[in-house]
Structure formats: C-alpha cells, structure tokens
Amino acid sequence: MVVLAGGKSLEYALKAVGDLPGVGVVNARFVKPLDENMLREVASRARAIVTVEDNTVLGGFGSAVLEALNTMNLRPTVRVLGIPDEFQEHATVDSVHARAGIDAPAIRTVMAELGVDVPLGV
C-alpha cells in the first residue's frame, strides 16, 4: 500500500503510517503536473493507493490520480480522501481535517479497511 499526500496532509500521512511494514508514503508535491512515471511505478507495485489532500475531492488530486491510472489502464484499489465539496463550518484547521476524515487517525482507519494490520492508536 502507498499513501500519496502533500502539504499538511503529508504530515498526517507520515504520522499514520509510522513504521508500518509494507506501507509507503509519497510526497505529492507534484500535483500539477502529475508525475505519471512515479504513479505508474507505484501502481505496478502497490495493491492499494490512498490519496490524501487538503482540498475538495471533486476535481482534485485524487481525481487526477484516478484519471491518470485509467489512462494507463492500471487498476489498483484507490481511496480518495479530501475535503467534501460542501460548506465547512469555521474551526481550527486540525478540527476541519478531522471532520473531513483526512487526519492521521482517519488515514489509519482507511488503511485498516484496506487490509493493513494497523495497531490501535496513532
């Protein structure tokens, strides 16, 4: 499994993954233009990819990853985590991210749902 994340969500991804065996994190500072060679390499080795972004999921980084994988005819399991495309209540950044499900505990939950043996806690 590989987690693709950038910006603040990279911090969450690194914390969520920690030293879990068989799980990697890629710094997605390449959102535009998308690094298709890296994505092809990741998709050819990982059975699952989780994208995490501090942005709306509609038309965002995760969508671009899915489009690129489709064009390359690669079909790993992909979960896209990001801010829902709806009004967000004013709050601290960490609070908004927790509600949106892109913080470290949420990423760990998704990894567990995808079959990674994740110990309790972060």
Side-chain angles (χ1 to χ4, degrees), residues 7-19:
K8 177 76 171 170
S9 60
L10 177 62
E11 176 185 323
Y12 298 138
L14 290 170
K15 185 175 181 183
V17 170
D19 60 357

Side-chain angles (χ1 to χ4, degrees), residues 4-116:
L4 305 176
K8 177 76 171 170
S9 60
L10 177 62
E11 176 185 323
Y12 298 138
L14 290 170
K15 185 175 181 183
V17 170
D19 60 357
L20 291 173
V23 182
V25 176
V26 174
N27 183 351
R29 62 182 180 268
F30 52 82
V31 172
K32 276 291 197 183
L34 190 63
D35 185 344
E36 292 186 3
N37 290 329
M38 180 283 309
L39 187 57
R40 184 177 290 106
E41 178 74 19
V42 165
S44 69
R45 294 177 183 224
R47 68 172 188 79
I49 297 172
V50 177
T51 67
V52 188
E53 60 190 298
D54 178 14
N55 196 0
T56 182
V57 293
L58 295 180
F61 171 64
S63 294
V65 167
L66 287 167
E67 288 178 28
L69 290 170
N70 185 57
T71 299
M72 292 182 244
N73 203 27
L74 297 171
R75 305 284 190 265
T77 299
V78 178
R79 292 285 296 273
V80 176
L81 305 181
I83 308 293
D85 192 36
E86 57 193 38
F87 178 77
Q88 299 297 308
E89 294 289 330
H90 289 277
T92 65
V93 171
D94 289 339
S95 176
V96 171
H97 289 171
R99 282 196 318 254
I102 65 170
D103 63 351
I107 295 168
R108 287 177 76 85
T109 297
V110 169
M111 290 190 305
E113 290 170 356
L114 293 172
V116 174

